[in-house]
Amino acid sequence: MNTAVKLGSYVLGLAVVFGGALGVGKVVGPVGAQPAVEDHSAMASPSASAGHGEHAAAPAKGDTPGGLQVSEAGYSLNPITTALKPGEPADFRFTVTGPDGRPVTGYQVEHDKKLHLIVASRDLATFQHVHPEMAADGVWSVKLTLPKAGPYRAFADFAPTGGEGLTLGADVFVAGDYQPKALPQESRTATVDGYEVTLDGDLTPGQSSRLTLKVRKDGKPVTDLQPYLGAYGHLVALRARDLAYLHVHPDGEPGDGKTQAGPEIVFYAEVPSTGDYRLFLDFQHEGKVRTADFTLGAGERPQLPTPTPSPAGHDDDGHGH
């Protein structure tokens, strides 16, 4: 995808929860040596079972959020290009190796592409969604221009042939003086190229949240959004604390007889943790893809009702001890 943000399958409506692959989305959870106790069962990723040729059995995937690991289920993201300069186009090259240690060459087509690459600066001020090309030897390449010095995170979102979707992440560094920017304040309105995009809805940890994004141009609703990668909009979310990756798509699809081409694009998302998220919406209109970005905070996790203890001296059936 080009410069514009399914947690996700790019950095280089939807009726599903955030997950790791583009069409499924992966919920992010706390990370670190001592994570908070949470139920991560909904975040577990299916095991990848195949890729390049006849692989050895891949180790089972854990419940680590998408994009936080350079290796998962036997697959690894390996940047080849290491020398990048701010503002200068570079041929960014990388491979994905499989459980047999060889570059993977067999991929499933997901949302019109075999692999989606997302690149975001660590301060989440810069976001790009691009689509590299793969050579016969499994080396991917794409022209990439990173605007400023500093650390970036590259996310490769793909599904190997016969396997499940994965999102792997690797750090990319651009040499030079680096002055990180503060996270943009929470905002419900974004402007890009004369378009105004508004966001309605809230993220509530532990429950599905409806997010409605409405696109306007020159004050008028846009009702002729164009399909892009099989949908009228793509949403990527990155958690500010650790850049955990989520990617989802809107409910319905172009040509299904019920999904309108704007102005509203509706997503359903579930996040498990409080904190700030950066959301990046890609949409296409008049032949060009644009990206609207937002900062949205997730509120408190819903509290389960506290069980009422039995009266002292009585069993649950009302009889005494």
Side-chain angles (χ1 to χ4, degrees):
M1 189 181 286
N2 52 20
T3 301
V5 187
K6 38 137 19 226
L7 247 319
S9 334
Y10 300 101
V11 178
L12 233 330
L14 148 88
V16 297
V17 174
F18 276 139
L22 294 182
V24 179
K26 182 188 295 181
V27 181
V28 292
V31 297
Q34 296 295 331
V37 177
E38 295 190 28
D39 181 4
H40 295 270
S41 59
M43 302 190 302
S45 302
S47 298
S49 60
H52 175 87
E54 293 296 328
H55 291 304
K61 293 171 61 179
D63 61 358
T64 302
L68 294 182
Q69 297 186 116
V70 70
S71 297
E72 186 176 1
Y75 295 87
S76 297
L77 174 61
N78 310 288
I80 298 174
T81 304
T82 57
L84 295 171
K85 297 181 180 180
E88 295 187 11
D91 186 16
F92 183 73
R93 301 169 69 240
F94 64 94
T95 63
V96 175
T97 53
D100 61 2
R102 296 182 294 165
V104 177
T105 58
Y107 294 84
Q108 300 177 51
V109 174
E110 303 256 333
H111 303 284
D112 297 343
K113 299 293 180 180
K114 291 183 177 180
L115 184 145
H116 301 264
L117 188 70
I118 300 293
V119 181
S121 59
R122 277 282 175 179
D123 60 10
L124 292 176
T126 299
F127 171 89
Q128 295 187 41
H129 180 168
V130 296
H131 296 101
E133 296 292 333
M134 186 187 69
D137 60 358
V139 175
W140 294 90
S141 62
V142 64
K143 285 293 183 183
L144 189 65
T145 302
L146 300 180
K148 62 179 183 178
Y152 291 76
R153 188 73 173 172
F155 303 90
D157 195 337
F158 64 94
T161 300
E164 300 293 339
L166 287 168
T167 301
L168 302 179
D171 288 332
V172 177
F173 299 94
V174 178
D177 293 334
Y178 171 53
Q179 296 294 330
K181 294 183 178 180
L183 190 73
Q185 294 184 347
E186 182 166 333
S187 173
R188 298 302 185 112
T189 302
T191 57
V192 53
D193 293 345
Y195 292 82
E196 180 183 83
V197 184
T198 56
L199 186 157
D200 182 48
D202 298 294
L203 293 174
T204 303
Q207 68 182 39
S208 181
S209 304
R210 177 186 172 105
L211 302 177
T212 302
L213 295 112
K214 183 178 294 185
V215 182
R216 295 177 177 270
K217 183 181 181 183
D218 300 326
K220 298 179 181 179
V222 175
T223 58
D224 58 346
L225 291 171
Q226 296 167 324
Y228 179 66
L229 300 176
Y232 286 126
H234 299 266
L235 184 67
V236 170
L238 297 172
R239 188 168 58 185
R241 292 182 298 169
D242 54 9
L243 271 63
Y245 173 94
L246 310 100
H247 195 158
V248 292
H249 292 272
D251 187 27
E253 60 184 23
D256 64 4
K258 58 182 180 180
T259 302
Q260 301 297 314
E264 294 186 349
I265 314 171
V266 177
F267 299 82
Y268 289 89
E270 182 176 337
V271 295
S273 66
T274 60
D276 292 323
Y277 293 81
R278 286 282 284 159
L279 279 62
F280 300 87
L281 173 71
D282 289 333
F283 65 95
Q284 181 168 255
H285 188 242
E286 297 181 347
K288 183 177 178 179
V289 177
R290 298 168 174 84
T291 299
D293 60 275
F294 307 84
T295 301
L296 191 61
E300 295 297 327
R301 174 183 289 276
Q303 298 297 313
L304 296 176
T306 302
T308 302
S310 300
H314 292 275
D315 295 323
D316 291 339
D317 60 4
H319 297 291
H321 291 291

